[in-house]
Amino acid sequence: SILFFEGQRSGYLPREQRMTWRRNSALNDGKNLNADFVGGYYDAGDNIKFHFPMAFTATMLAWSAVDFESYMSTADLRDNLVALRWGTDYLLKTVSQLPNRIFVQVGEANPDHQCWERPEDMDTPRTAYAVEAPHPASDLAGEITAAFAAGSIAFKKYDPSYSKLLLHNALKAFKYADSHRGSYTNNPGVKLAACPFYCSVNGYEDELLWGAAWLRRATGEDSYIKYLADNRQSFGADFNYYEFGWDNKVGGVNVLVAKYLRRMCYQLHRIRIRRKKMMCSFFHGTPGPHMTYTPGGLLYKQGSSNLQNTVALSFLLLIYADYLSKSSQQLNCGNLKIQPDSFRHLAKRQVDYILGDNPMKISYMVGYGNHYPRQIHHRGASSPSIASHPTAIKCLEGWNVFASPKPDPNLLVGALVGGPNVDDKFVGGRTNASETEPTTYINAPFVGLLAYFKANKISYI
């Protein structure tokens, strides 16, 4: 499960995550806008709540529960749903004032990044930001739509009333997204707060398609198929479809809609073509562009925190393999005929690499194995606990903690860090945020991957 909880309701947390919070710890979040934003997730090793990646985290936790539930034990499924609900409960607050206002962020990133403070001590501004109609927030609202629609499916048989609540709010969020088209970071005040951290670089159109695709799955209504068909080309779905992550959903849309494409293929034929090209690109010897791998076999895309790409794309590999198996198909890539198990073997190779089968012989999951990062870019992990250091650690004081050569006093067990570079090298250290900072959106897709391979012992050799 994700390990970045914030709040006071300790009885609601999974077993291994219960704790007693002291001091402020963001208990007044949202006060400047007369709103309650206690709870939710920090995106990574800082103390900011960026709602855009938080919503993607929730979507991926929900997708794990929806398509990998049968591989989870009762306890694992419960913990996944608890982690999901912690996110969706918070996200419900972000749309509580629709149709006129949507909340986009809590906390000021630049002042926060000038300090190294554990959450209990933070005294940086906790400003909440909102977008008012008719100003746009299609990317954020579209991702929240996806999170709620996917969550409504995940909770349908366990909490029907909550499932209906999520679906109702998914429809509200999508209406705002589609009615006020544009990026949430196009709004001047929000842009200064969210950029360059979580600007919607890929644009807002992919989130509209993503939200519509999840609404189709949640409602079964074919109007969303028509929406996808009518807008696919103008929304740029023919470009950047080799990507999937918190900023680019095109690859995810193409795989998600595979489950109902056979009946509607005449409307969405181009999506099938793009999905095929993307999936063929994972295998060398196929026509067209190819994904990049490190010498050690890690799926690699240039940028910060590379494992976010590895994990999200590996998740799609398993989803697509499941689709091929259930529809008794294989993928034809030129002269190559690729069976479903080839996708599973490739995904398994990525998981094994992340957990220690790599040239550095290091596990990139904190607490797993004997050799894993001991100095991660995370304030709570690197700072002494209140039990051992009850006195507040102030902003500048915390940089002494940051610079300490000592291992983290608190293990953030289960957290995936950013990972190695293109040469399989991992330098590590708190100063190397690209390699050692954990994020919720790296961890969230890993839930489904681990659930599947825990239940299915396969070898990629």
Side-chain angles (χ1 to χ4, degrees):
S1 296
I2 303 297
L3 303 176
F4 307 97
F5 284 99
E6 179 278 312
Q8 277 196 317
R9 295 186 295 167
S10 58
Y12 184 76
L13 302 182
R15 296 179 298 278
E16 70 278 9
Q17 295 161 342
R18 292 174 186 164
M19 59 191 72
T20 300
W21 289 88
R22 294 180 56 181
R23 301 197 178 99
N24 178 15
S25 192
L27 299 183
N28 291 315
D29 279 3
K31 187 176 180 180
N32 69 298
L33 295 180
N34 296 314
D36 169 20
F37 282 107
V38 175
Y41 293 108
Y42 302 134
D43 68 298
D46 54 26
N47 296 324
I48 306 298
K49 298 171 188 174
F50 295 99
H51 298 172
F52 191 30
M54 192 193 304
F56 178 72
T57 295
T59 304
M60 295 310 295
L61 286 174
W63 201 354
S64 295
V66 170
D67 278 3
F68 294 108
E69 175 186 355
S70 62
Y71 304 118
M72 296 182 185
S73 68
T74 301
D76 288 342
L77 177 61
R78 175 195 174 276
D79 283 353
N80 185 32
L81 292 178
V82 167
L84 168 60
R85 186 158 182 165
W86 184 263
T88 51
D89 276 354
Y90 180 90
L91 291 171
L92 285 170
K93 299 177 183 182
T94 70
V95 299
S96 61
Q97 295 184 18
L98 287 181
N100 298 316
R101 177 193 254 185
I102 184 169
F103 296 91
V104 302
Q105 180 177 320
V106 176
E108 297 184 17
N110 288 315
D112 177 86
H113 288 180
Q114 291 170 10
C115 296
W116 195 260
E117 290 180 310
R118 56 192 178 187
E120 297 90 336
D121 295 332
M122 61 183 175
D123 50 12
T124 51
R126 301 301 298 170
T127 308
Y129 296 86
V131 170
E132 310 276 350
H135 296 291
S138 299
D139 34 21
L140 173 62
E143 186 59 65
I144 291 175
T145 298
F148 288 162
S152 74
I153 303 170
F155 283 107
K156 190 170 186 177
K157 65 182 177 182
Y158 300 105
D159 192 338
S161 62
Y162 189 67
S163 172
K164 291 178 181 178
L165 176 67
L166 291 178
L167 185 55
H168 172 71
N169 281 276
L171 295 170
K172 284 203 308 181
F174 189 73
K175 184 175 181 179
Y176 190 97
D178 197 37
S179 299
H180 310 297
R181 292 185 180 181
S183 172
Y184 82 110
T185 53
N186 285 346
N187 299 282
V190 172
K191 184 174 184 177
L192 291 173
C195 296
F197 310 103
Y198 291 102
C199 292
S200 186
V201 177
N202 192 60
Y204 64 87
E205 296 90 346
D206 54 321
E207 278 80 28
L208 288 173
L209 297 175
W210 181 236
W214 272 110
L215 282 172
R216 168 57 174 80
R217 189 163 180 187
T219 66
E221 293 183 10
D222 287 343
S223 60
Y224 296 110
I225 293 282
K226 186 177 187 305
Y227 184 94
L228 291 166
D230 290 347
N231 294 290
R232 179 201 58 78
Q233 185 174 15
S234 62
F235 283 0
D238 289 339
F239 304 96
N240 296 328
Y241 52 85
Y242 296 96
E243 308 282 340
F244 183 53
W246 65 263
D247 186 38
N248 188 335
K249 313 307 184 323
V250 177
V253 171
N254 291 343
V255 172
L256 177 63
V257 301
K259 290 181 177 294
Y260 46 82
L261 258 184
R262 296 183 75 192
R263 187 165 64 87
M264 291 288 184
C265 62
Y266 65 94
Q267 289 180 300
L268 296 174
H269 177 63
R270 300 301 297 179
I271 284 185
R272 172 185 284 180
I273 293 174
R274 298 296 179 255
R275 186 183 68 242
K276 177 180 178 180
K277 286 186 176 181
M278 177 188 183
M279 287 300 158
C280 289
S281 74
F282 285 98
F283 300 92
H284 290 281
T286 60
H290 296 102
M291 296 289 183
T292 299
Y293 295 88
T294 68
L298 181 70
L299 180 62
Y300 187 89
K301 285 190 175 293
Q302 191 67 38
S304 179
S305 300
N306 171 62
L307 288 188
Q308 65 176 302
N309 303 302
T310 306
V311 173
L313 289 170
S314 297
F315 185 97
L316 293 186
L317 289 172
L318 283 190
I319 295 291
Y320 188 62
D322 182 63
Y323 158 71
L324 289 178
S325 292
K326 289 181 177 178
S327 57
S328 301
Q329 295 185 67
Q330 62 184 8
L331 181 65
N332 297 319
C333 301
N335 295 324
L336 290 180
K337 299 183 185 300
I338 302 175
Q339 303 298 325
D341 275 350
S342 295
F343 294 97
R344 297 185 180 105
H345 294 160
L346 179 55
K348 178 63 160 52
R349 177 69 191 102
Q350 303 310 303
V351 171
D352 286 348
Y353 183 109
I354 291 169
L355 295 181
D357 185 9
N358 56 64
M360 297 290 291
K361 302 301 178 186
I362 182 172
S363 166
Y364 294 107
M365 175 181 278
V366 175
Y368 184 85
N370 297 319
H371 186 203
Y372 51 84
R374 304 286 179 145
Q375 291 186 337
I376 67 173
H377 189 90
H378 188 277
R379 287 158 173 75
S382 63
S383 304
S385 68
I386 284 180
S388 63
H389 193 288
T391 305
I393 302 173
K394 294 298 184 181
C395 173
L396 297 182
E397 219 183 317
W399 291 112
N400 294 325
V401 172
F402 178 81
S404 170
K406 296 180 180 179
D408 296 330
N410 310 304
L411 287 183
L412 196 58
V413 176
L416 293 180
V417 297
N421 64 22
V422 70
D423 297 317
D424 297 302
K425 297 294 189 296
F426 180 80
V427 177
R430 290 185 200 101
T431 60
N432 194 350
S434 181
E435 292 187 359
T436 66
E437 187 168 21
T439 72
T440 57
Y441 47 85
I442 299 178
N443 267 76
F446 212 55
V447 171
L449 286 163
L450 291 183
Y452 181 86
F453 290 119
K454 179 181 178 181
N456 297 273
K457 312 297 183 183
I458 71 169
S459 172
Y460 53 85
I461 298 175

